[in-house]
Amino acid sequence: MATPRKIVVGAGPAGIRAAERLVAAGLKPIVVDEAPRAGGQIYRRPPLTHGRTHKALYGFDAGRAKALHDVFEALQPRIDYHPETLAWNLREQTLHLVSNGVARAERFDALILATGATDRLLPVEGWTKPGCYSLGGSQIALKAQGCTIGSRVVFLGTGPLLYLVAYQYAKAGAVVAAVLDTSPASAQARALPKLAVRPEFLARGLYFRAVLAAKGVPVHNGVTPLAIEGEGSVAGVLWRDAKGAEHRTLADAVGMGFHLRSETQLADLAGCPFTFDETTQSFRPEIDTDGRSPRASVYFAGDGIRVLGADAAETAGRLAALAVLGDLGLPVDEAERDKLRRTMSVMERFRDGLAEAFPWPAHLARRVEDKTILCRCEAITAGDLREAAKAKGAPELNRAKALSRVGMGRCQGRFCGSAAAEILAEATGSSLREAGRLRGQAPVKPLSVATLTEESA
């Protein structure tokens, strides 16, 4: 029997640990990753010319980051590693890749998708102005380029990443004008018992807030963002506090994000069934406890399936690798698997706490004004979508896409899809589940028209 071909997509915490476990079993997986250096978003590595230490880059997570980077360096002679490579399509047992403008196809017997997550965004009037960044983009600027997105920055949104990035900017010496959190303080207080299952991370979150307070950064909970103001670029943020009073905070940049959403386009192309996740009010691919999908030979790990954080992603990567080994008829250490499953159970309880503490502000999405740009790629407003829903008849999101072009641009709805579903549900009087989700299509990210096939290169 030929050696089974295993492919891991993603070289973040989940992908690295999955590859490590496959190598430990005597296999040599193919690892593909879009980034030039392994580490994923949370442990993103700057260019080699940057001289900052792990402690300077990753703070509390310096030890975890270094351990993961070291593991990957040691793995490289024993894996088939392809950095700066995009997995853009998936058909049957074949994954389609492109690197340096040259496309090729890789057959697989087992595929682990560790595709990570991106910011979940909410349109706010003026959010397309120069100077507006996602929280992830704000963090990349700091980690990879060693610069800030502006000289006076407002951080707007909700979720643990909101406080982490604000803390990192303040610690780096940037002026953080304010942290504007749409979640009420009462929700975060109610979630404390669930968050306490991981006391280290709860303490870390409290520490971030304490540092921001010590540096004089105003932190406001329960806010309603009204507009990002400025002529040509960001000049400030107009917002309403929990008591209804309006405020204007001057700034030349805004970092915004409302927790994270999983990258699931390849799961769509694999034909995996999706289920509605009541906790996060979003759709995600179906998996079993270990990351095995109903689609034969396709497995998931990390934030690409459920947003649980970097250390949970490492655990999920190992579990998915064990699932692959078991399904290939190779030996699996049952004690190891049981321990990993118990760890994931704790992570899931913590995730429930995060969802309760930092809820997706569906009420704000449903009240986005008609004139506000919803889909940045196609310049579609919230009013355009409502018209498609009511005047043209669009009961679900893909029909609305065909009639309005929402989600039809470069990002394929990654950044407008969550809000679009809320607006459509409100406009049609349906549930979020009935409004559905935008289905992924190939190529999952734009390809150059000059892309060549391997045969014709």
Side-chain angles (χ1 to χ4, degrees):
M1 176 182 175
T3 303
R5 292 173 64 82
K6 294 76 49 188
I7 301 180
V8 178
V9 178
I16 291 175
R17 292 305 183 187
E20 179 189 32
R21 193 60 189 81
L22 293 175
V23 168
L27 303 176
K28 184 175 183 177
I30 298 169
V31 178
V32 300
D33 189 49
E34 287 184 57
R37 304 183 72 193
Q41 294 298 340
I42 191 69
Y43 301 135
R44 174 180 285 270
R45 303 177 79 173
L48 288 168
T49 52
H50 283 223
R52 286 175 292 167
T53 65
H54 277 78
K55 183 63 179 176
L57 283 166
Y58 309 109
F60 289 111
D61 289 321
R64 286 191 175 93
K66 186 174 188 312
L68 200 72
H69 295 159
D70 289 347
V71 163
F72 194 77
E73 295 300 322
L75 279 177
Q76 288 203 41
R78 304 171 68 186
I79 63 175
D80 187 3
Y81 173 44
H82 299 270
E84 298 185 273
T85 299
L86 169 68
W88 64 273
N89 193 14
L90 198 165
R91 296 289 182 196
E92 301 297 332
Q93 297 295 107
T94 302
L95 186 68
H96 296 268
L97 307 170
V98 63
S99 179
N100 293 322
V102 178
R104 68 181 187 278
E106 292 280 358
R107 185 187 58 79
F108 63 85
D109 298 297
L111 175 69
I112 297 178
L113 295 174
T115 47
T118 52
D119 291 273
R120 197 175 186 183
L121 294 179
L122 171 74
V124 176
E125 182 62 26
W127 73 304
T128 56
K129 294 182 187 298
C132 281
Y133 294 77
S134 68
L135 289 175
S138 306
Q139 195 177 48
I140 288 170
L142 196 62
K143 282 184 183 175
Q145 280 83 44
C147 64
T148 63
I149 60 173
S151 58
R152 181 178 172 84
V153 185
V154 166
F155 289 101
L156 167 66
T158 196
L161 190 61
L162 177 72
Y163 292 93
L164 171 61
V165 180
Y167 160 79
Q168 290 172 330
Y169 266 61
K171 188 169 181 285
V175 175
V176 179
V179 176
L180 305 178
D181 189 343
T182 57
S183 299
S186 57
Q188 291 166 21
R190 282 197 304 272
L192 283 175
K194 292 179 181 175
L195 297 174
V197 299
R198 299 184 68 190
E200 175 191 353
F201 285 86
L202 175 58
R204 189 182 297 186
L206 296 174
Y207 174 77
F208 293 157
R209 293 197 61 147
V211 170
L212 291 170
K215 290 183 175 292
V217 175
V219 176
H220 301 278
N221 284 93
V223 309
T224 299
L226 300 176
I228 296 171
E229 300 178 318
E231 295 293 332
S233 61
V234 172
V237 178
L238 181 65
W239 54 280
R240 183 182 297 128
D241 67 22
K243 294 180 179 178
E246 290 191 6
H247 305 267
R248 178 174 283 105
T249 301
L250 299 179
D252 62 3
V254 176
M256 60 186 296
F258 300 80
H259 211 21
L260 300 172
R261 52 161 293 282
S262 299
E263 285 286 330
T264 58
Q265 283 77 15
L266 289 176
D268 252 329
L269 298 177
C272 295
F274 280 60
T275 187
F276 189 72
D277 187 332
E278 296 289 349
T279 302
T280 59
Q281 291 290 289
S282 61
F283 287 87
R284 64 173 175 81
E286 289 182 17
I287 56 167
D288 70 2
T289 305
D290 300 339
R292 185 185 288 106
S293 82
R295 158 80 154 83
S297 310
V298 177
Y299 305 78
F300 293 92
D303 287 350
I305 183 72
R306 289 170 298 183
V307 178
L308 296 168
D311 47 352
E314 292 186 49
T315 304
R318 293 186 176 102
L319 264 177
L322 292 180
V324 170
L325 296 177
D327 291 349
L328 291 175
L330 298 170
V332 171
D333 185 333
E334 294 295 341
E336 177 188 5
R337 181 158 60 187
D338 290 345
K339 183 179 179 182
L340 293 171
R341 286 173 174 171
R342 289 195 297 274
T343 301
M344 287 303 294
S345 177
V346 174
M347 303 292 186
E348 289 282 2
R349 290 201 295 275
F350 188 73
R351 169 179 176 260
D352 291 346
L354 289 179
E356 184 173 339
F358 305 105
W360 160 248
H363 62 294
L364 297 179
R366 294 183 178 220
R367 295 206 302 260
V368 171
E369 294 184 13
D370 280 350
K371 66 180 181 180
T372 301
I373 292 287
L374 167 62
C375 169
R376 299 182 302 182
C377 301
E378 296 290 316
I380 306 301
T381 66
D384 293 333
L385 178 59
R386 291 189 175 106
E387 181 188 9
K390 294 178 179 177
K392 299 178 182 176
E396 61 85 35
L397 207 47
N398 292 284
R399 178 67 175 161
K401 173 182 175 180
L403 294 174
S404 71
R405 298 191 62 83
V406 69
M408 202 174 280
R410 290 173 60 90
C411 85
Q412 290 200 17
R414 285 178 173 85
F415 300 119
C416 64
S418 294
E422 299 285 358
I423 291 170
L424 184 66
E426 187 273 339
T428 58
S430 61
S431 68
L432 197 59
R433 186 194 298 267
E434 291 168 328
R437 63 186 180 84
L438 289 168
R439 291 186 294 270
Q441 295 181 340
V444 300
K445 292 184 180 177
L447 299 181
S448 167
V449 294
T451 299
L452 306 174
T453 62
E454 209 167 35
E455 292 75 21
S456 60

